[in-house]
């Protein structure tokens, strides 16, 4: 990766952190350049405007998840351990996101939101289905699963964490809610062998990495 690529990555990741901490609506491009410690001229060498920045942040998030998934494929992990590792990524990403950011993205940048959600949905559903196939082959998951429905339901649960209108769970910490949801997912798809293995691996559930 060249200097220009490194600079681009640092700008996109830095802007992503700024938006997750402060929201999108009230942060201007002037604010972004000031918080990043760069000139607006430098910022506009890499993004056209705020909408373009938002879109590129969405691509950055998806690529980060995709790269990690590809790394996991190269490791000698069974299906449950793959899910445990992916839960760390999901937990970390969600914990960094201001709950209002999804609402602002959907309301003020609808096209960017739809492009982001569509690509993210495809990526997650594809990998959940792949994980189910692996788990069945390894004798850890039930053979009677409808993997298409399971994968879509999993994605829907993940996205619900971004919905600020869901107030029922506001009295609980994100860590606890995510851990229960994730454990329910595994228990719902695992057979007895898988559940027993999961019980031995629960100590790996760490959402604060």
């Amino acid at each position: 990766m060249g200097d220009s690529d490194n600079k681009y990555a640092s700008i996109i990741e830095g802007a992503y952190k700024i938006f997750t901490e402060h929201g999108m609506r009230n942060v201007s491009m002037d604010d972004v350049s000031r918080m990043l410690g760069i000139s607006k001229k430098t910022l506009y060498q890499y993004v056209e405007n705020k909408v373009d920045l938002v879109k590129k942040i969405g691509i950055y998030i998806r690529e980060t998840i995709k790269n990690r998934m590809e790394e996991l494929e190269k490791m000698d992990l069974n299906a449950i351990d793959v899910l445990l590792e992916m839960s760390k990524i999901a937990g970390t990403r969600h914990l960094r996101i201001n709950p209002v950011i999804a609402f602002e993205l959907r309301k003020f940048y609808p096209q960017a939101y739809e492009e982001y959600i569509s690509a993210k949905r495809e990526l997650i559903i594809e990998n959940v289905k792949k994980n189910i196939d692996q788990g069945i082959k390894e004798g850890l998951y039930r053979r009677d699963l409808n993997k298409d429905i399971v994968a879509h339901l999993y994605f829907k649960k993940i996205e619900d964490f971004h919905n600020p209108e869901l107030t029922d769970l506001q009295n609980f910490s994100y860590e606890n809610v995510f851990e229960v949801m994730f454990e329910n997912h595994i228990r719902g798809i695992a057979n007895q062998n898988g559940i027993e293995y999961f019980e031995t691996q629960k100590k790996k559930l760490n959402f604060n990495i």
Side-chain angles (χ1 to χ4, degrees), residues 152-185:
H152 280 80
L153 286 175
Y154 182 83
F155 176 78
K156 180 63 167 60
K157 290 175 183 177
I158 291 293
E159 286 308 299
D160 280 345
F161 283 105
H162 287 314
N163 189 348
E165 297 175 358
L166 295 179
T167 59
D168 296 350
L169 299 175
Q170 286 186 354
N171 293 328
F172 303 95
S173 71
Y174 174 81
E175 296 95 327
N176 290 337
V177 174
F178 185 83
E179 185 172 348
V180 170
M181 186 279 290
F182 180 77
E183 182 166 347
N184 285 343
H185 171 71

Side-chain angles (χ1 to χ4, degrees), residues 64-96:
T64 299
I65 297 173
K66 181 180 179 181
N67 290 340
R68 182 53 179 157
M69 289 176 172
E70 291 176 350
E71 290 175 2
L72 292 177
E73 288 181 0
K74 299 175 183 178
M75 301 169 64
D76 187 22
L77 300 175
N78 67 32
I80 289 179
D81 283 337
V82 169
L83 282 183
L84 289 171
E85 290 299 317
M86 288 307 302
S87 75
K88 296 177 183 179
I89 299 174
T92 302
R93 288 293 169 196
H94 284 277
L95 284 170
R96 287 171 54 186

Side-chain angles (χ1 to χ4, degrees), residues 42-54:
T42 298
L43 178 60
Y44 283 117
Q45 287 177 352
Y46 295 92
V47 296
E48 296 178 7
N49 48 45
K50 191 174 179 181
V51 174
D52 185 46
L53 175 59
V54 170

